[in-house]
Amino acid sequence: MPNGIKRIGVLTSGGDAPGMNAAIRAVVRACVYHNVECEGIFQGYQGMIEGDFKRLNERSVAKILGRGGTILKSSRSKEFMTEEGRKKAFENLKKNGVDALITIGGNGTFTGAHIFQKEFGIPVIGIPGSIDNDLYGTDHCIGFDTATNTVVDAVDKIRDTATSHNRLFFVEVMGRHSGFIALKSGIATGAIAIILPEDEMSVDELVETLRSTEESGKTSSIVIVAEGSKSGGAYEIAKTVTEKYSEYETRVSVLGHLQRGGNPSCYDRVLASRMGVAAVEGLLQGRKDVMVGIINDRESYTSLEESITRANVPNRDELRIARILSI
Ligand code: F6P
């Protein structure tokens, strides 16, 4: 094999995202195609520390392409943040003959991967799987499209009640530090306001918008709030707004973890399949310490360091468009 790679380990870590299974399938099948063995590592980095390994073949990943979650399971391992934990993990890789690693996850996953690679020199490639879509070096992360469609579906339903009862709804969506889900779903559902960590709309501005749209005959509205918003979550913002403006009956809905589950969309399945193959082929071509991404419909590789230190940020023009349309 080129670079002497005979066995590639694959794991998922951090928050699960719809499409991770499609990525695992692609990694395993690309390994088989290129005559390399593939070792599944269960429970993320914690499983690497505890030796939770299992050889995978093309049949082990049958019928998972369209399933949410991750068959390899996931965790946020505190032990892997210690030198001792990482040493144990490396010993287990050696014991199982794993000589390269593919990690599927988000920022925390890649931070761990980057440190691990520096300490032990084992080649690592990351695949971006995060509904938050906040990784630099790819147009989209696996899971973002599905999660956003889940939000759109939920908000369309909430809209029915909002309209029937002339209510103002504050809907909180995921995104610890990132407003991608909020921005896209807000445009797609015609939200009157979208509150993002990257660009906060002030309460006064929101009250002003509510007032002027009510004057033009609007009887119900939806405000989308990203969970990482600096003015607090949806409950807090709703409280502040209603203290200043109480014309509407108000309700709050926090969508929570339902956004992380469900069958991946066509877009996420294809994205994950492409990234899985590109990760295996990247390793075989001698790439390491990089994240695979798709930029302008082309596979590309960005250093892990860059992908974790520079964030992907929402398009400000989309925010402007959302404001134009919310009158
Ligand atoms: O990073 C993905 C994410 O879903 C964030 O949007 C959210 O803040 C966080 O994970 C929730 O994590 P947990 O599942 O550990 O509660």
Side-chain angles (χ1 to χ4, degrees), residues 148-223:
T148 310
N149 278 302
T150 301
V151 170
V152 169
D153 191 45
V155 176
D156 282 349
K157 291 182 171 114
I158 289 172
R159 169 79 70 188
D160 292 343
T161 295
T163 309
S164 306
H165 289 266
N166 293 342
R167 281 177 181 165
L168 167 64
F169 266 87
F170 289 82
V171 181
E172 184 177 301
V173 301
M174 275 187 165
R176 239 182 316 204
H177 310 290
S178 142
F180 275 98
I181 296 180
L183 180 55
K184 294 280 182 191
S185 64
I187 293 176
T189 57
I192 193 149
I194 305 167
I195 305 191
L196 316 176
E198 296 90 346
D199 188 319
E200 298 272 328
M201 179 185 227
S202 72
V203 167
D204 288 342
E205 206 183 329
L206 173 53
V207 167
E208 188 44 48
T209 312
L210 289 170
R211 254 195 205 112
S212 81
T213 52
E214 203 194 346
E215 272 162 27
S216 70
K218 194 164 170 53
T219 55
S220 64
S221 287
I222 307 270
V223 176

Side-chain angles (χ1 to χ4, degrees), residues 46 48-51 53 79 82-94 116 120:
Q46 196 55 36
M48 201 152 98
I49 293 169
E50 289 167 13
F53 291 53
E79 213 180 332
T82 68
E83 220 177 304
E84 205 189 327
R86 293 193 294 274
K87 196 159 176 296
K88 275 194 214 162
F90 181 64
E91 291 305 325
N92 279 327
L93 288 186
K94 273 206 308 199
F116 192 62
F120 300 102

Side-chain angles (χ1 to χ4, degrees), residues 9-10 16 21 27 57 61 74 77 97 101 103 113 116 120 122 186 204 207 227 235 247-248 253 255 257 280 315 326:
V10 60
D16 64 340
N21 277 329
V27 167
N57 64 31
V61 290
S74 193
S77 171
L101 200 58
T103 58
F116 192 62
F120 300 102
I122 179 156
D204 288 342
V207 167
E227 67 169 323
Y235 278 103
E247 299 308 306
Y248 284 107
S253 189
L255 298 185
H257 286 81
V280 171
N315 182 338
S326 62

Side-chain angles (χ1 to χ4, degrees), residues 183 187 314-324:
L183 180 55
I187 293 176
N315 182 338
R316 297 222 162 243
D317 204 44
E318 287 189 353
L319 200 56
R320 190 181 69 85
I321 286 161
R323 286 188 179 156
I324 291 174

Side-chain angles (χ1 to χ4, degrees), residues 76 130-132 174-176 227 257 260:
R76 301 189 201 270
S130 165
I131 65 163
D132 290 356
M174 275 187 165
R176 239 182 316 204
E227 67 169 323
H257 286 81
R260 290 241 295 266

